[in-house]
Every structure is written in C-alpha cells, then in structure tokens.
C-alpha cells in the first residue's frame, strides 16, 4: 500500500449527502477481476452523458458539463470534500480503488459509512471526519476561491487552510501508523500466529461443533 | 460480572489480541465468498504465496452475475462469465467448498448460509458484501467487509476491528395483518435515517421481533446496513433453534445438545446497557413504500409524496429535490397513485420461502395488470425454488402472469441481464433504491413481497390490507 504522510492538494466539492458506492463506481465495472483501472469510471453515471460499459474508450465519451468534477477549475484535485454518510451502501472496495485511481488521496466529510471508511485505509486513502459546520465552511471557501488547496499532515493530524488556519482531526492510532508507513496488514497480523492458534485450541474445547 | 449485551458476548468470545489503542484482533468462524468481491483477494494470496488459514470456514457460490433464465447455455456476457469462472478456478485451486452455478444448492450467499446451517448462533461471520448483516438474525456477529479484508480473513482467519457502540431497537406490540418484517425495518430506517446506525451494532428486540419467523428476522437484519449499522442482530430463542435443527451443517448428536446449551446464553442480560435505545410501536406501522433514492425516503402507503420544504434541513431539502426529480414524482402525489412498469420479487432481503408464500397469497387467482411490462419472481436459492415448486407457488405466480426464474441477485443490482430501462419504475422487494441501482435511470420503490405482488396486480401501489380483506 502507498503510504500517506503529507498532502498539499487541490480541493473538489461534491455537495450532496448520502453519496453511495453505486454512484462512486456503478456495478457494471465490478465485473473486472483486476484491482486497478477504475478511475476513469469513478462517478460514471454523473460524469458522462452516455451509459458506460467496461471496455469503452472513456476519453471519447461525452462529459456532463454540469457535474462538478468536470469543471476545469477542479482538474487535478486530490482532496474530495463531501457531505454526510459518504460511501454508504455496498461494501465494494472498488469504490476506494476508483477514487484513488482518479487521483484522490484524502476525503473530508461530516461522516462516512463504516465499511467504506475502513476500506479507504487499506488503499492509501485518508478519510477525515470534521464537524458539519467546519465542512460547511470549507465548502464555502472552496466555492469562493479558485485553486483552493489544503495541506494535510497525517502525523500531526492537522489540516492547514490557505489562510493559515489549522484544523485538527482524529484518527485511530493503529490505522494512522499503518497508513503513515504503508504497512501490509496481513504480514502484521501473521506476527500473532501463536495467539491465533492458542485461541483456536481453546475454542475447539469450548465450542467443538464450530470446527467439524 | 456486569450485565452484558448480546453484542458484548459475541465480541468477548472472539478476542484474540487487543492493541494498545483498543483495536482488536477478532477471530472469524465463517466466511462466505462470492464472485464479485473475491478475485483480487485470491490474487493477493497468490502474489504473496499465502494459503487460506482454514478452508473449512469458507463457503462460496456465484450469485451476482448468474443468469436467471435458462442456464444450460452458460453466461452470455463474457465479462460476467469470466468472473464466475474465476471464482470456480480459485475455489478449485485453494480447495474451498463451492456451490457452483449448476448446483441445486446455489443461491444468494445470504440465503444459502442460513439454509445450510452454515450460519449459526455465536459465530462471527463475514462476507465481502454489506448485507452480511442478514446473518445476525441468528445471534451471530455478522458484517460486510471489503476485498482487502476478504484476503486478510482468508490468510489469517482474523480481522482487526474496533468495537461498535450498541443500539437497541425495541419494537413493542404486534404488527397488524398484512404488515411484515420489511415494513418494520423500513419504518425503523424512516425513523433513524440511513446514517442513524453508523458506528453502532443494532440489536432488534421487543414483542414484534420475537414474533417474527427466522425469515422475517433475516429481513430486518439484512437492512440494518441501510440504517448505517454494519451489524444487526436478534437474540436466540426457540424460533432460532427450531430453524437450525436438522440443517445439513448444523451440529449433530451430542454436539447439538452442547451447542444449544451455549446458544441459549446468547441473549442480552437483564439490565445490560445500550449506548442508545429507539422504541417503536408495531401496531402503528403501516405498509411502507419508498418514494426517493435513499431507503430513509419512505412513507406509509396511505401517505403522499412529501414536499422538499418539509425536509429537516437545507442539505436534505436539496437531496429531496434531486430525488424527486430523479424519480419523476411531484410532491403531493398520493403514493397509491404511482403506477409501476416492472415488479421484482427477490433479493437477499425477500427471496426466502416465506416471502414467496406472502407474495403468492396476493397473486393467487389474480392477474398482473396490463400496464406492468414485467413481473418477476426470483427465488433466493435453488432449494427455495424447489420448495416453492413443491408447494405449487410457481404455478400460482405463472398463472397470474409472473415470470418464475432461476436463483440469484438478479434485478436487485442488475449485474446480470435483468434490469430496468431508463425511466422505468419498479416495485421491488430488494433493499436499495439508489440511483441506477436496478439499471441506469431506473426508479426503484422498496416494498414488502405482499405489497410488490399487490402493485403487480393493480398496476400501481395499493394498500395490500385492502387487497387481502
Ligand atoms: S441480492 Fe442484492 S443486496 Fe443481496 S447480495 Fe445480491 S446484490 Fe447484494
């Protein structure tokens, strides 16, 4: 996994609540057995005017000029500003894969759906929860100032605005450590092999029917 | 010892290791695998030369991409076919048990787990699918995971988890005739919102929940995720145990007795503390119909489509406007005046035998209305289909003009050939009415099986209690 340390990135505002994973990456693209290449189909139904299918040349498809991410001023954005319950719906990890492949490295919202939130950390994507009024203010500033950028420092757990204001955010110690260092979760867990085996031996005595 | 909730007990029984910040390595007993969220996980195993930790903990089946019409010709869409074949190949390579597309036990993962007795009280059960919450109906700790975690569970039999807060949803009183588990859970979501359960594990309790069959309990736990909660659960009682007795993978003989003794302890202790409690009166719940593009946008069948001005805040007002526009609905329209083009009875929410019986009771002796282009019934598994056919339900549906299909996810998410065309309106027994969920531009209204059947025969939404009386 790609580590996340600091980011100085252009902000794009997606001003709607309950953005679900079906919207982030529609189901027809879930048929891929690869882990990469989902970026051109992120927000496919909102982003293009025609219906997308796997294997199409996305560069030739008509863009929806009304979709916020298509506006010239947000090209190259790496921070996505969103509303409540972002990433709700299906558990598809294709959603963070698509956002990451699109170029986002950090997401800011008042709340995220649990499974999606968890999936982000596995893919070098930092989801940041901030109070709704702070998010509101960031939306206003993003709309007001073209080229609005934020500096995100994971180690310090801070966001710095162009005006120099510093906003602190929370993140679990364990998740932060893994994301900062880009660690392989499975290798870490396998360090606990003895404890896992001890648990199994104990459980086989207590609840043997689970192991037949 | 302090009184504990059911969730606390399930959690405590699976702790392998606790990190300093409280993150816990939790042992996973059961793992369901399907074709969509697993290929990259198996690739990851291969890439690192890892093997599954415990093959017996896994049960796999293809469900999302499988055709619901004639299967003898295989899958026409080459991309779908590759995905299903990849699952077959991975299961063969790693020695995992799989019900293939041509196996009569094949079906939606969340239907076959319980049906086989693979899902049991007291287990931790995961699947790369958000509706894994379904299995909590058996007093199991069951939740959906992403593909990285699918790989992690395959390789280590464990997951790193933070403990959730607990939410008790208590539904006292009795549901009225014609009002079902689906209406109950839609009413709960209408009350607490789609983010209301975020960060919580929900326990459903109260007289109305106790009175539900296992099928009904699965329906409500299935939609816990639509309320934002990764896990929903119901305590063990006689209904749970009666359902499991004799299932192929349920414990046998002396182990059965020991298991039952343990299962009986899987209830919240009297006086156990929940972080939040929500109470509903079952008698006040009417048949529900969603009118928008989020399950929380729901109303009783006798209501009208609301006006965005009634929304609780500015963000929601904009959402409601967008939803009404997408759904092609005018504020103030009576729900009962909304006509439907298609009807879908199926999905992991409502495709079990009891759901089909409820729908058939409405369809019996009636005809699908002329304005309805397609009304389809998709059983949740091959065994549900066989049971329904043994009871003659297929005939009831066919005689009424419904199509009777092969088992799978089908038009719940339209990854196979079953889908809505742009602008088509559907009465659906599935769990999500998101934009494009059943096909780009498709308009989904979530309802119970009985309400879906009633909409099919009337051509528009109608209070099923009037149809049945
Ligand atoms: S029936 Fe629908 S919700 Fe259930 S597993 Fe299949 S696609 Fe997901």
């Amino acid at each position: 996994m790609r580590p996340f340390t600091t980011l100085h990135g252009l902000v794009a505002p997606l001003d709607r609540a309950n953005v679900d994973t079906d919207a982030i990456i529609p189901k027809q693209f879930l048929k891929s057995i690869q882990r990469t290449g989902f970026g051109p189909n992120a927000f496919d139904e909102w982003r293009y005017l025609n219906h997308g299918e796997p294997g199409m040349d996305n560069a030739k498809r008509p863009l929806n000029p009304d979709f916020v991410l298509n506006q010239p001023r947000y090209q190259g954005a790496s921070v996505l500003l969103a509303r409540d319950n972002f990433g709700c719906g299906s558990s598809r990890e294709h959603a963070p894969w698509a956002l990451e492949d699109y170029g986002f490295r950090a997401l800011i919202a008042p709340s995220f759906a649990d499974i999606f939130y968890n999936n982000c950390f596995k893919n070098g994507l930092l989801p940041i929860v901030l109070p709704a009024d702070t998010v509101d203010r960031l939306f206003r500033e993003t709309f007001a100032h073209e080229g609005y950028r934020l500096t995100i420092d994971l180690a310090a757990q801070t966001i710095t605005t162009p005006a120099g204001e510093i906003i602190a955010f929370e993140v679990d110690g364990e998740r932060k450590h893994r994301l900062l260092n880009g660690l392989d979760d499975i290798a870490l867990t396998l360090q606990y092999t003895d404890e896992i085996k001890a648990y199994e031996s104990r459980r086989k005595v207590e609840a043997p029917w689970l192991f037949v | 010892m302090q009184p504990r909730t059911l969730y606390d007990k399930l959690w405590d029984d699976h702790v392998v290791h606790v990190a300093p910040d409280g993150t816990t390595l939790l042992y996973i007993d059961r793992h369901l695998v399907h074709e969509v969220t697993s290929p990259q996980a198996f690739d990851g195993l291969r890439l690192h030369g890892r093997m599954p930790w415990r093959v017996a903990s896994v049960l796999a089946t293809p469900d999302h991409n499988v055709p619901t019409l004639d299967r003898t010709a295989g899958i026409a869409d080459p991309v779908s076919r590759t995905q299903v074949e990849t699952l077959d190949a991975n299961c063969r390579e790693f020695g995992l048990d799989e019900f293939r597309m041509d196996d009569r036990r094949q079906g939606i993962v969340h239907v076959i787990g319980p049906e086989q007795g693979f899902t049991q009280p007291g287990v931790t059960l995961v699947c790369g699918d958000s509706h894994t919450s379904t299995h909590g109906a058996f007093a199991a700790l069951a939740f959906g995971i992403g593909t990285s975690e699918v790989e992690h569970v395959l390789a280590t039999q464990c997951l790193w988890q933070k403990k959730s807060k607990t939410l008790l949803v208590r539904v006292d009183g009795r549901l009225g005739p014609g009002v079902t588990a689906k209406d109950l859970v839609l009413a709960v979501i209408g009350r607490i919102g789609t983010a209301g359960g975020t960060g919580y594990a929900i326990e459903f309790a109260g007289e109305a929940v106790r009175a539900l069959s296992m099928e009904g309990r699965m329906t409500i736990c299935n939609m816990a995720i639509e309320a934002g909660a990764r896990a929903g659960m119901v305590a063990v009682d006689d209904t749970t145990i009666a359902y499991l007795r004799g299932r192929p993978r349920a414990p046998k003989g002396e182990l059965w007795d020991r298991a039952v003794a343990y299962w009986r302890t899987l209830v919240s202790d009297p006086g156990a503390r929940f972080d939040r409690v929500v109470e509903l009166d079952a008698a006040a719940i009417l048949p529900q119909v969603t009118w928008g593009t989020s399950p929380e946008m729901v109303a009783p069948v006798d209501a009208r489509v609301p006006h965005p001005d009634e929304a609780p805040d500015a963000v929601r007002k904009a959402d409601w406007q967008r939803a009404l526009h997408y759904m092609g609905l005018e504020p103030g329209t009576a729900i009962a005046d909304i006509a439907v083009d298609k009807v879908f009875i199926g999905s992991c929410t409502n495709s079990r035998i009891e759901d089909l019986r409820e729908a058939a009771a409405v369809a019996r002796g009636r005809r699908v209305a002329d304005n309805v282009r397609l009304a389809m019934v998709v059983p949740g598994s091959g065994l549900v289909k066989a049971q329904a056919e043994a009871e003659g339900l297929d005939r009831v549906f066919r005689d009424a003009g419904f199509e009777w299909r092969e088992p799978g996810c089908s038009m719940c998410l339209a990854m196979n050939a079953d889908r809505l065309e742009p602008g088509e309106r559907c009465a659906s027994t599935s769990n999500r009415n998101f934009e494009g969920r059943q096909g780009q531009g498709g308009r989904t209204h979530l309802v119970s099986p009985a309400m879906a059947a009633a909409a099919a025969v009337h051509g528009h939404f109608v209070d099923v209690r009037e149809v049945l009386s």
Side-chain angles (χ1 to χ4, degrees), chain B residues 159-367:
Chain B
L159 273 181
W160 290 98
Q161 291 289 300
K162 265 279 171 85
K163 206 168 172 186
S164 303
K165 290 178 286 182
T166 50
L167 165 59
L168 177 68
V169 173
R170 188 167 53 228
V171 191
D172 291 316
R174 287 276 175 156
L175 292 173
V179 185
T180 67
K182 182 64 162 289
D183 303 303
L184 188 161
V185 71
L186 283 171
V188 169
I189 296 165
R191 166 83 81 83
I192 69 174
T194 45
T198 305
Y200 290 93
I202 300 182
E203 179 175 343
F204 295 98
E207 188 192 351
V209 173
R210 295 258 70 88
L212 292 176
S213 64
M214 287 316 294
E215 285 85 348
R217 295 176 190 184
M218 284 188 253
T219 300
I220 58 174
C221 289
N222 174 276
M223 291 195 70
I225 185 70
E226 304 323 319
R230 272 179 97 173
M233 62 201 86
V234 176
V236 168
D237 62 8
D238 293 342
T239 307
T240 324
I241 290 165
Y243 179 96
L244 283 162
R245 192 185 298 276
R247 301 260 160 199
R249 296 184 190 221
K252 306 272 181 310
E254 187 251 345
L255 282 182
W256 168 262
D257 296 332
R258 283 184 66 186
V260 169
Y262 170 62
W263 295 348
R264 293 275 184 201
T265 68
L266 298 173
V267 298
S268 288
D269 294 329
R273 217 191 62 79
F274 289 82
D275 295 297
R276 188 179 165 204
V277 178
V278 172
E279 291 172 345
L280 276 84
D281 173 16
I285 299 173
L286 301 183
Q288 305 280 309
V289 181
T290 65
W291 51 264
T293 54
S294 161
E296 70 184 19
M297 298 176 182
V298 63
V301 60
D302 64 354
R304 291 177 179 276
V305 174
H307 197 283
D309 288 343
E310 299 161 28
D313 55 55
V315 174
R316 285 228 169 56
K317 180 176 172 179
D319 276 357
W320 285 21
Q321 269 161 345
R322 208 158 20 220
L324 290 177
H325 176 73
Y326 180 86
M327 294 296 289
L329 290 173
E330 286 299 321
T333 308
I335 299 274
D337 287 342
I338 302 173
V340 299
D341 305 305
K342 285 184 175 166
V343 174
F344 171 62
I345 297 173
S347 90
C348 59
T349 316
N350 283 128
S351 64
R352 299 179 181 83
I353 188 67
E354 182 177 279
D355 302 312
L356 304 190
R357 287 180 191 141
E358 279 170 10
V362 177
R364 192 180 301 274
R366 298 189 170 90
R367 286 289 306 169

